[in-house]
CSV table of all heavy atoms in Angstrom, one decimal:
chain,number,residue,atom,x,y,z
A,41,ALA,N,251.5,59.4,40.9
A,41,ALA,CA,251.8,58.3,39.9
A,41,ALA,C,253.3,58.1,39.7
A,41,ALA,O,253.8,57.1,39.4
A,41,ALA,CB,251.2,58.7,38.6
A,42,LEU,N,254.1,59.2,40.1
A,42,LEU,CA,255.5,59.1,40.0
A,42,LEU,C,256.1,58.4,41.3
A,42,LEU,O,257.3,58.1,41.4
A,42,LEU,CB,256.2,60.5,39.9
A,42,LEU,CG,256.2,61.2,38.6
A,42,LEU,CD1,256.8,62.5,38.7
A,42,LEU,CD2,257.0,60.3,37.6
A,43,ILE,N,255.2,58.2,42.3
A,43,ILE,CA,255.6,57.7,43.6
A,43,ILE,C,256.7,58.7,44.2
A,43,ILE,O,257.8,58.3,44.6
A,43,ILE,CB,256.1,56.3,43.5
A,43,ILE,CG1,255.3,55.4,42.5
A,43,ILE,CG2,256.1,55.6,44.9
A,43,ILE,CD1,255.8,54.0,42.3
A,44,ASP,N,256.4,60.0,44.1
A,44,ASP,CA,257.3,61.0,44.6
A,44,ASP,C,256.5,62.0,45.4
A,44,ASP,O,255.8,62.9,44.8
A,44,ASP,CB,258.0,61.7,43.4
A,44,ASP,CG,259.0,62.8,43.8
A,44,ASP,OD1,259.1,63.0,45.0
A,44,ASP,OD2,259.6,63.4,42.9
A,53,GLU,N,254.4,75.0,53.8
A,53,GLU,CA,255.6,75.3,54.6
A,53,GLU,C,256.9,74.9,54.0
A,53,GLU,O,257.9,75.6,54.1
A,53,GLU,CB,255.4,74.6,56.0
A,53,GLU,CG,254.5,75.3,56.9
A,53,GLU,CD,255.0,76.8,57.2
A,53,GLU,OE1,256.2,76.9,57.6
A,53,GLU,OE2,254.3,77.7,57.0
A,57,ARG,N,260.6,78.2,49.2
A,57,ARG,CA,261.6,78.6,48.3
A,57,ARG,C,261.0,78.9,46.9
A,57,ARG,O,261.4,79.7,46.1
A,57,ARG,CB,262.7,77.5,48.1
A,57,ARG,CG,263.8,77.8,47.1
A,57,ARG,CD,264.5,76.6,46.7
A,57,ARG,NE,265.8,76.8,46.0
A,57,ARG,CZ,266.4,75.9,45.3
A,57,ARG,NH1,266.0,74.7,45.2
A,57,ARG,NH2,267.6,76.2,44.8
A,58,TYR,N,259.9,78.1,46.6
A,58,TYR,CA,259.3,78.1,45.3
A,58,TYR,C,258.0,79.0,45.3
A,58,TYR,O,257.3,79.1,44.3
A,58,TYR,CB,258.9,76.7,44.9
A,58,TYR,CG,260.1,75.7,45.1
A,58,TYR,CD1,260.2,75.0,46.3
A,58,TYR,CD2,261.1,75.7,44.2
A,58,TYR,CE1,261.2,74.1,46.5
A,58,TYR,CE2,262.2,74.8,44.4
A,58,TYR,CZ,262.2,74.1,45.6
A,58,TYR,OH,263.3,73.2,45.8
A,70,HIS,N,253.7,67.5,29.9
A,70,HIS,CA,252.4,66.7,29.7
A,70,HIS,C,251.1,67.5,29.8
A,70,HIS,O,250.1,66.9,29.9
A,70,HIS,CB,252.4,65.6,30.8
A,70,HIS,CG,253.7,64.8,30.7
A,70,HIS,ND1,254.0,64.0,29.7
A,70,HIS,CD2,254.7,64.7,31.6
A,70,HIS,CE1,255.2,63.4,30.0
A,70,HIS,NE2,255.6,63.8,31.1
A,73,ARG,N,246.9,68.7,26.8
A,73,ARG,CA,245.9,67.6,26.8
A,73,ARG,C,245.0,67.9,25.5
A,73,ARG,O,245.0,68.9,24.9
A,73,ARG,CB,244.9,67.8,28.0
A,73,ARG,CG,245.6,68.0,29.3
A,73,ARG,CD,246.3,66.7,29.8
A,73,ARG,NE,246.7,66.8,31.2
A,73,ARG,CZ,247.2,65.8,31.9
A,73,ARG,NH1,247.2,64.6,31.4
A,73,ARG,NH2,247.6,66.0,33.1
A,85,MET,N,240.2,52.9,18.4
A,85,MET,CA,240.7,51.7,19.0
A,85,MET,C,240.2,50.4,18.5
A,85,MET,O,240.8,49.4,18.7
A,85,MET,CB,240.5,51.8,20.5
A,85,MET,CG,241.4,52.7,21.3
A,85,MET,SD,243.1,52.1,21.3
A,85,MET,CE,243.9,53.4,22.2
A,89,ASP,N,245.5,47.9,14.0
A,89,ASP,CA,246.9,48.4,13.9
A,89,ASP,C,247.1,49.7,14.5
A,89,ASP,O,248.2,50.3,14.5
A,89,ASP,CB,247.2,48.5,12.4
A,89,ASP,CG,247.5,47.1,11.8
A,89,ASP,OD1,247.9,46.2,12.6
A,89,ASP,OD2,247.4,46.9,10.6
A,90,TYR,N,246.0,50.3,15.0
A,90,TYR,CA,246.1,51.6,15.6
A,90,TYR,C,246.8,51.5,17.0
A,90,TYR,O,246.3,50.8,17.9
A,90,TYR,CB,244.7,52.3,15.7
A,90,TYR,CG,244.8,53.6,16.4
A,90,TYR,CD1,245.5,54.7,15.9
A,90,TYR,CD2,244.0,53.9,17.6
A,90,TYR,CE1,245.5,55.9,16.5
A,90,TYR,CE2,244.0,55.1,18.2
A,90,TYR,CZ,244.8,56.1,17.6
A,90,TYR,OH,244.8,57.4,18.3
A,91,ASP,N,247.9,52.3,17.2
A,91,ASP,CA,248.6,52.2,18.4
A,91,ASP,C,248.2,53.2,19.5
A,91,ASP,O,248.7,53.1,20.6
A,91,ASP,CB,250.1,52.3,18.2
A,91,ASP,CG,250.6,53.6,17.6
A,91,ASP,OD1,249.7,54.5,17.5
A,91,ASP,OD2,251.8,53.8,17.3
A,113,ASN,N,260.0,56.3,22.4
A,113,ASN,CA,260.6,57.5,22.9
A,113,ASN,C,262.1,57.2,23.1
A,113,ASN,O,262.5,56.4,23.9
A,113,ASN,CB,260.0,57.9,24.2
A,113,ASN,CG,260.3,59.3,24.7
A,113,ASN,OD1,261.4,59.8,24.3
A,113,ASN,ND2,259.5,59.9,25.4
A,114,GLY,N,263.0,57.9,22.3
A,114,GLY,CA,264.4,57.6,22.4
A,114,GLY,C,265.1,58.2,23.5
A,114,GLY,O,266.1,57.7,24.0
A,116,TYR,N,265.7,62.1,26.1
A,116,TYR,CA,265.6,63.5,26.3
A,116,TYR,C,266.9,64.2,26.8
A,116,TYR,O,267.7,63.5,27.4
A,116,TYR,CB,264.6,63.8,27.5
A,116,TYR,CG,263.1,63.7,27.1
A,116,TYR,CD1,262.5,62.5,27.3
A,116,TYR,CD2,262.4,64.8,26.6
A,116,TYR,CE1,261.1,62.4,27.0
A,116,TYR,CE2,261.1,64.7,26.3
A,116,TYR,CZ,260.4,63.5,26.5
A,116,TYR,OH,259.1,63.4,26.2
A,118,TYR,N,267.3,67.7,28.9
A,118,TYR,CA,266.6,68.8,29.6
A,118,TYR,C,267.5,69.8,30.1
A,118,TYR,O,268.6,69.5,30.7
A,118,TYR,CB,265.8,68.2,30.8
A,118,TYR,CG,264.5,67.5,30.4
A,118,TYR,CD1,264.3,66.2,30.8
A,118,TYR,CD2,263.5,68.2,29.8
A,118,TYR,CE1,263.1,65.6,30.5
A,118,TYR,CE2,262.3,67.6,29.5
A,118,TYR,CZ,262.1,66.3,29.8
A,118,TYR,OH,260.9,65.7,29.6
A,119,GLU,N,267.0,71.1,30.1
A,119,GLU,CA,267.7,72.2,30.8
A,119,GLU,C,266.5,72.8,31.7
A,119,GLU,O,265.5,73.2,31.1
A,119,GLU,CB,268.3,73.2,29.9
A,119,GLU,CG,269.0,74.3,30.7
A,119,GLU,CD,269.8,75.2,29.9
A,119,GLU,OE1,269.7,75.3,28.6
A,119,GLU,OE2,270.6,76.0,30.5
A,120,LEU,N,266.7,72.8,33.0
A,120,LEU,CA,265.6,73.1,33.9
A,120,LEU,C,265.9,74.5,34.6
A,120,LEU,O,267.0,74.7,35.1
A,120,LEU,CB,265.5,72.0,34.9
A,120,LEU,CG,265.5,70.6,34.4
A,120,LEU,CD1,265.6,69.5,35.5
A,120,LEU,CD2,264.2,70.3,33.6
A,121,PHE,N,264.8,75.3,34.7
A,121,PHE,CA,265.0,76.6,35.2
A,121,PHE,C,264.0,76.9,36.4
A,121,PHE,O,264.4,77.5,37.4
A,121,PHE,CB,264.7,77.7,34.2
A,121,PHE,CG,265.5,77.5,33.0
A,121,PHE,CD1,265.0,77.1,31.8
A,121,PHE,CD2,266.9,77.8,33.0
A,121,PHE,CE1,265.8,77.0,30.6
A,121,PHE,CE2,267.7,77.7,31.9
A,121,PHE,CZ,267.2,77.2,30.7
A,123,HIS,N,260.0,75.6,38.4
A,123,HIS,CA,258.8,74.8,38.5
A,123,HIS,C,257.6,75.6,38.0
A,123,HIS,O,257.5,76.8,38.3
A,123,HIS,CB,258.5,74.3,39.9
A,123,HIS,CG,259.5,73.3,40.4
A,123,HIS,ND1,259.4,72.0,40.3
A,123,HIS,CD2,260.7,73.5,41.2
A,123,HIS,CE1,260.4,71.3,40.9
A,123,HIS,NE2,261.2,72.2,41.4
B,1,MET,N,257.9,72.3,58.6
B,1,MET,CA,259.0,71.8,57.8
B,1,MET,C,259.5,72.9,56.9
B,1,MET,O,258.7,73.6,56.2
B,1,MET,CB,258.5,70.6,57.0
B,1,MET,CG,259.6,69.8,56.4
B,1,MET,SD,259.0,68.5,55.2
B,1,MET,CE,258.1,67.5,56.3
B,23,LYS,N,262.3,52.2,42.8
B,23,LYS,CA,260.8,52.1,42.6
B,23,LYS,C,260.5,50.7,42.2
B,23,LYS,O,261.1,50.1,41.3
B,23,LYS,CB,260.4,53.0,41.4
B,23,LYS,CG,260.9,54.5,41.5
B,23,LYS,CD,260.0,55.3,42.3
B,23,LYS,CE,260.4,56.8,42.2
B,23,LYS,NZ,259.6,57.6,43.1
B,37,ALA,N,247.2,59.5,34.3
B,37,ALA,CA,247.5,60.8,34.8
B,37,ALA,C,248.0,61.7,33.7
B,37,ALA,O,247.7,62.9,33.7
B,37,ALA,CB,248.6,60.7,35.9
B,38,MET,N,248.7,61.2,32.7
B,38,MET,CA,249.2,62.0,31.6
B,38,MET,C,248.4,61.8,30.3
B,38,MET,O,248.7,62.4,29.3
B,38,MET,CB,250.6,61.8,31.4
B,38,MET,CG,251.1,60.4,31.1
B,38,MET,SD,252.8,60.3,30.8
B,38,MET,CE,253.0,61.2,29.2
B,43,ARG,N,249.0,52.1,23.2
B,43,ARG,CA,248.5,50.7,23.6
B,43,ARG,C,249.5,49.9,24.3
B,43,ARG,O,249.2,49.0,25.1
B,43,ARG,CB,248.0,50.0,22.4
B,43,ARG,CG,246.5,50.2,22.1
B,43,ARG,CD,246.1,49.3,21.0
B,43,ARG,NE,244.7,49.2,21.0
B,43,ARG,CZ,243.9,49.1,19.9
B,43,ARG,NH1,244.5,49.0,18.7
B,43,ARG,NH2,242.6,49.0,20.0
B,46,TYR,N,249.1,49.4,28.2
B,46,TYR,CA,248.0,48.8,28.9
B,46,TYR,C,247.3,47.6,28.2
B,46,TYR,O,246.5,46.9,28.8
B,46,TYR,CB,247.0,49.8,29.3
B,46,TYR,CG,246.5,50.6,28.1
B,46,TYR,CD1,245.4,50.1,27.3
B,46,TYR,CD2,247.1,51.8,27.7
B,46,TYR,CE1,245.0,50.8,26.2
B,46,TYR,CE2,246.7,52.5,26.6
B,46,TYR,CZ,245.6,52.0,25.9
B,46,TYR,OH,245.2,52.7,24.7
B,50,TYR,N,247.9,43.6,22.4
B,50,TYR,CA,248.5,44.5,21.4
B,50,TYR,C,250.0,44.5,21.6
B,50,TYR,O,250.8,44.4,20.7
B,50,TYR,CB,247.9,45.9,21.5
B,50,TYR,CG,248.5,46.8,20.4
B,50,TYR,CD1,247.9,47.0,19.2
B,50,TYR,CD2,249.7,47.5,20.6
B,50,TYR,CE1,248.4,47.8,18.2
B,50,TYR,CE2,250.2,48.3,19.7
B,50,TYR,CZ,249.6,48.5,18.4
B,50,TYR,OH,250.1,49.3,17.5
B,54,HIS,N,250.9,42.2,18.6
B,54,HIS,CA,251.1,43.1,17.5
B,54,HIS,C,252.5,43.7,17.4
B,54,HIS,O,253.1,43.7,16.4
B,54,HIS,CB,250.1,44.3,17.6
B,54,HIS,CG,250.1,45.2,16.4
B,54,HIS,ND1,251.0,46.2,16.3
B,54,HIS,CD2,249.3,45.2,15.3
B,54,HIS,CE1,250.8,46.8,15.2
B,54,HIS,NE2,249.8,46.3,14.5
B,66,TRP,N,257.6,58.1,32.3
B,66,TRP,CA,257.7,57.9,33.8
B,66,TRP,C,259.1,57.8,34.3
B,66,TRP,O,259.5,58.5,35.3
B,66,TRP,CB,256.9,56.7,34.2
B,66,TRP,CG,256.8,56.4,35.6
B,66,TRP,CD1,255.8,56.8,36.5
B,66,TRP,CD2,257.6,55.5,36.4
B,66,TRP,NE1,256.1,56.3,37.7
B,66,TRP,CE2,257.2,55.5,37.7
B,66,TRP,CE3,258.8,54.8,36.1
B,66,TRP,CZ2,257.8,54.8,38.7
B,66,TRP,CZ3,259.4,54.1,37.1
B,66,TRP,CH2,258.9,54.1,38.4
B,68,GLN,N,261.7,59.1,33.0
B,68,GLN,CA,262.5,60.3,32.9
B,68,GLN,C,262.3,61.2,34.2
B,68,GLN,O,263.2,61.8,34.6
B,68,GLN,CB,262.1,61.1,31.7
B,68,GLN,CG,260.7,61.7,31.7
B,68,GLN,CD,260.4,62.6,30.5
B,68,GLN,OE1,261.3,63.2,30.0
B,68,GLN,NE2,259.2,62.6,30.1
B,69,HIS,N,261.0,61.1,34.7
B,69,HIS,CA,260.8,61.9,35.9
B,69,HIS,C,261.4,61.3,37.1
B,69,HIS,O,261.8,62.1,38.1
B,69,HIS,CB,259.3,62.1,36.1
B,69,HIS,CG,258.6,62.9,35.0
B,69,HIS,ND1,258.9,64.2,34.8
B,69,HIS,CD2,257.8,62.5,34.0
B,69,HIS,CE1,258.2,64.6,33.8
B,69,HIS,NE2,257.6,63.6,33.3
B,81,ASP,N,266.5,71.6,48.6
B,81,ASP,CA,266.0,73.0,48.3
B,81,ASP,C,267.0,74.0,48.3
B,81,ASP,O,266.7,75.2,48.3
B,81,ASP,CB,264.8,73.3,49.3
B,81,ASP,CG,263.7,72.3,49.2
B,81,ASP,OD1,263.3,72.0,48.0
B,81,ASP,OD2,263.1,71.9,50.2
B,83,GLY,N,270.1,73.4,46.3
B,83,GLY,CA,270.8,73.3,45.1
B,83,GLY,C,269.8,73.3,43.9
B,83,GLY,O,268.6,73.6,44.1
B,84,TRP,N,270.3,72.9,42.7
B,84,TRP,CA,269.4,72.9,41.6
B,84,TRP,C,269.9,71.9,40.5
B,84,TRP,O,271.1,71.9,40.2
B,84,TRP,CB,269.4,74.3,40.9
B,84,TRP,CG,268.3,74.3,39.8
B,84,TRP,CD1,268.5,74.4,38.5
B,84,TRP,CD2,266.9,74.3,40.0
B,84,TRP,NE1,267.3,74.4,37.8
B,84,TRP,CE2,266.3,74.3,38.7
B,84,TRP,CE3,266.1,74.2,41.1
B,84,TRP,CZ2,264.9,74.3,38.5
B,84,TRP,CZ3,264.7,74.2,40.9
B,84,TRP,CH2,264.1,74.2,39.6
B,86,TRP,N,270.2,71.1,37.1
B,86,TRP,CA,270.2,72.1,36.0
B,86,TRP,C,270.0,71.3,34.7
B,86,TRP,O,269.1,71.7,33.9
B,86,TRP,CB,271.5,72.9,36.0
B,86,TRP,CG,271.7,73.8,34.8
B,86,TRP,CD1,270.8,74.3,34.0
B,86,TRP,CD2,273.0,74.3,34.4
B,86,TRP,NE1,271.4,75.1,33.1
B,86,TRP,CE2,272.7,75.1,33.3
B,86,TRP,CE3,274.3,74.1,34.9
B,86,TRP,CZ2,273.8,75.8,32.6
B,86,TRP,CZ3,275.3,74.8,34.2
B,86,TRP,CH2,275.0,75.6,33.1
B,88,VAL,N,269.8,67.5,32.6
B,88,VAL,CA,269.7,66.0,32.6
B,88,VAL,C,269.4,65.5,31.2
B,88,VAL,O,268.6,66.0,30.5
B,88,VAL,CB,268.7,65.5,33.7
B,88,VAL,CG1,267.3,66.2,33.5
B,88,VAL,CG2,268.6,64.0,33.7
B,90,PHE,N,269.3,61.6,28.9
B,90,PHE,CA,269.3,60.2,29.0
B,90,PHE,C,268.7,59.6,27.7
B,90,PHE,O,267.9,60.3,27.0
B,90,PHE,CB,268.6,59.7,30.2
B,90,PHE,CG,267.3,60.4,30.5
B,90,PHE,CD1,266.2,60.1,29.8
B,90,PHE,CD2,267.3,61.5,31.4
B,90,PHE,CE1,265.0,60.8,30.0
B,90,PHE,CE2,266.1,62.2,31.6
B,90,PHE,CZ,265.0,61.9,30.9
B,92,PHE,N,266.5,56.2,26.3
B,92,PHE,CA,265.7,55.0,26.7
B,92,PHE,C,266.2,53.8,25.9
B,92,PHE,O,265.9,53.7,24.7
B,92,PHE,CB,264.3,55.3,26.5
B,92,PHE,CG,263.7,56.4,27.3
B,92,PHE,CD1,263.1,57.5,26.7
B,92,PHE,CD2,263.8,56.4,28.7
B,92,PHE,CE1,262.5,58.5,27.4
B,92,PHE,CE2,263.2,57.4,29.4
B,92,PHE,CZ,262.6,58.5,28.8
B,151,VAL,N,271.5,78.1,46.1
B,151,VAL,CA,271.4,78.4,44.7
B,151,VAL,C,270.1,79.2,44.5
B,151,VAL,O,269.0,78.7,44.9
B,151,VAL,CB,271.4,77.2,43.8
B,151,VAL,CG1,271.2,77.5,42.4
B,151,VAL,CG2,272.7,76.4,44.1
B,153,TYR,N,266.6,80.8,43.3
B,153,TYR,CA,265.5,80.2,42.5
B,153,TYR,C,264.6,81.4,42.1
B,153,TYR,O,264.4,82.2,42.8
B,153,TYR,CB,264.7,79.2,43.4
B,153,TYR,CG,263.5,78.7,42.7
B,153,TYR,CD1,263.6,77.6,41.9
B,153,TYR,CD2,262.2,79.3,42.8
B,153,TYR,CE1,262.4,77.1,41.3
B,153,TYR,CE2,261.1,78.8,42.2
B,153,TYR,CZ,261.2,77.7,41.4
B,153,TYR,OH,260.1,77.3,40.7
B,155,PHE,N,266.2,79.3,38.7
B,155,PHE,CA,267.6,79.1,38.4
B,155,PHE,C,267.9,79.9,37.1
B,155,PHE,O,267.2,79.8,36.1
B,155,PHE,CB,268.0,77.7,38.1
B,155,PHE,CG,269.4,77.5,37.8
B,155,PHE,CD1,270.4,77.7,38.7
B,155,PHE,CD2,269.8,77.1,36.5
B,155,PHE,CE1,271.7,77.6,38.3
B,155,PHE,CE2,271.1,76.9,36.1
B,155,PHE,CZ,272.1,77.2,37.0
Side-chain angles (χ1 to χ4, degrees):
Chain A
L42 283 177
I43 322 171
D44 181 359
E53 279 300 305
R57 181 200 198 195
Y58 311 97
H70 306 293
R73 316 284 191 171
M85 282 294 179
D89 284 335
Y90 177 58
D91 64 4
N113 193 336
Y116 281 92
Y118 280 119
E119 185 173 13
L120 311 172
F121 305 108
H123 291 271
Chain B
M1 196 188 292
K23 309 277 187 186
M38 59 178 290
R43 270 189 161 144
Y46 54 86
Y50 182 91
H54 185 279
W66 182 87
Q68 71 175 329
H69 295 291
D81 295 318
W84 188 252
W86 175 20
V88 54
F90 40 80
F92 297 123
V151 176
Y153 176 87
F155 179 70

